[in-house]
Amino acid sequence: MKNYKLDTLCVQAGYKPKTGESRIPAISQSTTFFYGDTQAMADCFDLKSAGYFYSRLSNPTVAAFEGKVAALEGGVAAIGCSSGMSATTLSVFTVAGAGDNILSSAEVYGGTYNLFGTTLPKLGIECRFFNPDSSAEEIEKLIDGKTKMVFIETVANPAISVVDFDKIAKICKKHGVLLAVDNTLATPALCRPKEFGANVIIHSSSKYLDGHAAALGGVIVDCGNFDFKASERYASFNQPDESYHGLVYSDLPVAVFATKCRAQMIRDIGAIMSPQNAFLSYIGSDTLALRMEKHSANAAKVAEYLSKHPKIEWVRHPSLKSDKYHELAKKYLPDGQGGMLSFGIKGNSQKCALFMESLQLITQETHVADVRSCVLHPASTTHRQLSKEDLAAAGVPENLIRLSVGIENAEDIIADIAQALEKV
């Protein structure tokens, strides 16, 4: 589309109806598609022409959502996946195999930490974790000739730290390593990582993009700004793929990463988004810009209230001037810092449980980033599999409560927190 503003893209990008067609994307709830021309289908298989022939690879409804998210992030292509975790996994598999390694910030979502630290090594892919606040020199020491990706989160879940894009992007550019960014909690409404050096952007679309906790999904966005030919690290992009008619991916004029991901990983693993979930996420993301403004404003008010409460030990939200990441947030998220915050109740995990069980409006659930406010105790749930040392590295102390601030009235949210704290 034209150079429209983001709130316009939220509403208009990804799908344009022809005369007499549905104004919003139809749900193409079909596994397969008809072709009367044999050569036309063959051309699709050879990637010589665009088209749909089986929903394990691509689907019109999913494509509409992919197009919208690609436009929002400024990418050249996107791939809708069955979940955020599958999006992360497929992104790694697209560039790395047995004997390779990736680098990851230690302050990432618990499921991602477990994927990188436990599951990938079983497949021969090593993950080297680093403290995102470490110096560039310390992080660079982890890179070698087999490093295929550096992975970070714009806003870490649940540490609520803001990454220093300039530092990490310079490292990646210096060494010719792909930079992948999970932008789930910031969303393109608040931060567009491509503008700060990202090459691949990942979303759990189940969160803010969908916005209503109705549709599980993930998205991989190819920013189209990485030269795979220039780096000796990526032989699989520069050698013929015999499983795909000898195609050399780096010879493609556009969407090199996305094409290899779809042609190999989506084809063989099949973790594509369902048409129904793509439809729900597409219409949910229509209001992304509006919602993120409200989420951010509400969270800032809640963080300010908690920062002054005598029963609260600490609060993490970049809107607070006292927050460690306030200056980075002003640089990378100037229009709002999102609806996620974390705080520590003075005391142990039992007091955290009492607080959460005393809430009346805010619900306790394994989810974040939809229109309803919710809480979770990560150390005993999403990060339960981590050791005490890993919890510390991930920025998850025992008394941390993760609060996803919704779009309810801020006064009602604060009143609910206040009455629950009275019982602690």
Side-chain angles (χ1 to χ4, degrees):
M1 297 186 77
K2 297 178 181 178
N3 294 322
Y4 291 122
K5 303 297 184 183
L6 186 129
D7 42 2
T8 300
L9 292 174
C10 285
V11 177
Q12 297 285 353
Y15 172 74
K16 187 175 182 179
K18 297 177 182 178
T19 301
E21 290 185 338
S22 169
R23 183 59 189 86
I24 61 174
I27 303 174
S28 297
Q29 193 65 47
S30 177
T31 59
T32 190
F33 304 87
F34 168 75
Y35 280 82
D37 185 329
T38 304
Q39 187 59 47
M41 178 175 275
D43 287 344
C44 287
F45 273 88
D46 284 343
L47 303 180
K48 293 178 180 178
S49 64
Y52 309 99
F53 49 86
Y54 198 59
S55 281
R56 178 161 53 83
L57 280 162
S58 59
N59 174 280
T61 313
V62 179
F65 183 53
E66 292 169 342
K68 176 177 282 195
V69 179
L72 293 177
E73 289 287 13
V76 296
I79 297 176
C81 303
S82 57
S83 67
M85 285 305 302
S86 67
T88 300
T89 304
L90 294 174
S91 295
V92 173
F93 287 170
T94 300
V95 294
D100 293 328
N101 66 75
I102 65 170
L103 271 59
S104 173
S105 165
E107 294 186 354
V108 292
Y109 165 60
T112 303
Y113 194 100
N114 194 67
L115 167 68
F116 289 172
T118 302
T119 303
L120 289 186
K122 295 177 182 178
L123 303 174
I125 302 173
E126 178 190 4
C127 180
R128 300 169 180 177
F129 290 103
F130 62 87
N131 183 329
D133 293 334
S134 296
S135 68
E137 291 72 24
E138 290 179 278
I139 298 171
E140 280 186 284
K141 292 177 183 177
L142 301 175
I143 296 176
D144 61 24
K146 291 291 186 179
T147 303
K148 293 297 197 295
M149 174 187 286
V150 175
F151 183 95
I152 55 177
E153 292 181 356
T154 305
V155 178
N157 175 13
I160 319 299
S161 56
V162 179
V163 73
D164 186 345
F165 278 110
D166 284 352
K167 177 177 68 178
I168 305 298
K170 285 178 182 177
I171 294 171
C172 290
K173 189 172 183 180
K174 177 181 176 180
H175 294 275
V177 179
L178 191 81
L179 175 57
V181 179
D182 185 328
N183 199 35
T184 297
L185 294 189
T187 81
L190 301 179
C191 180
R192 286 163 57 110
K194 180 182 178 180
E195 297 174 1
F196 304 112
N199 307 119
V200 172
I201 300 169
I202 296 163
H203 284 275
S204 170
S205 61
S206 319
K207 310 302 189 297
Y208 285 127
L209 290 181
D210 166 56
H212 303 97
L216 192 67
V219 185
I220 304 167
V221 178
D222 182 351
C223 294
N225 58 355
F226 190 85
D227 188 349
F228 286 96
K229 282 191 173 182
S231 177
E232 297 180 358
R233 297 178 181 277
Y234 302 97
S236 64
F237 283 80
N238 293 292
Q239 297 172 352
D241 179 3
E242 299 306 330
S243 74
Y244 221 97
H245 322 295
L247 176 65
V248 177
Y249 294 101
S250 63
D251 288 340
L252 295 171
V254 68
V256 174
F257 182 92
T259 302
K260 186 174 188 290
C261 183
R262 191 181 298 276
Q264 291 185 335
M265 299 304 123
I266 290 290
R267 176 197 65 190
D268 294 348
I269 297 175
I272 195 168
M273 181 179 284
S274 73
Q276 182 71 45
N277 284 354
F279 173 79
L280 292 171
S281 298
Y282 181 96
I283 60 175
S285 60
D286 287 349
T287 60
L288 177 66
L290 294 172
R291 287 186 283 106
M292 293 312 297
E293 183 177 346
K294 179 70 169 177
H295 281 296
S296 296
N298 277 358
K301 292 175 183 177
V302 172
E304 184 67 23
Y305 168 78
L306 288 170
S307 69
K308 299 174 181 178
H309 199 286
K311 293 185 179 179
I312 300 301
E313 183 178 334
W314 51 265
V315 183
R316 295 175 187 163
H317 192 264
S319 65
L320 296 170
K321 291 182 180 179
S322 59
D323 190 86
K324 179 180 180 180
Y325 300 98
H326 182 68
E327 291 303 314
L328 283 177
K330 285 168 59 178
K331 182 177 182 179
Y332 300 121
L333 300 105
D335 297 324
Q337 293 75 49
M340 288 292 302
L341 60 86
S342 62
F343 59 94
I345 291 181
K346 292 179 180 178
N348 53 26
S349 59
Q350 285 73 32
K351 288 195 174 183
C352 292
L354 178 59
F355 165 77
M356 294 190 296
E357 290 166 3
S358 299
L359 293 166
Q360 298 172 1
L361 174 70
I362 302 169
T363 53
Q364 184 179 177
E365 55 189 74
T366 309
H367 198 254
V368 296
D370 65 59
V371 293
R372 288 160 289 271
S373 296
C374 61
V375 291
L376 193 72
H377 183 244
S380 62
T381 54
T382 57
H383 290 62
R384 189 181 186 91
Q385 73 278 10
L386 273 59
S387 66
K388 288 186 177 180
E389 293 75 21
D390 287 342
L391 285 171
V396 185
E398 181 188 8
N399 69 338
L400 183 150
I401 290 178
R402 185 181 71 184
L403 171 59
S404 177
V405 182
I407 62 171
E408 305 95 341
N409 186 282
E411 293 181 9
D412 291 334
I413 297 171
I414 291 172
D416 193 34
I417 293 171
Q419 66 83 25
L421 283 173
E422 287 178 2
K423 300 173 183 176
V424 174

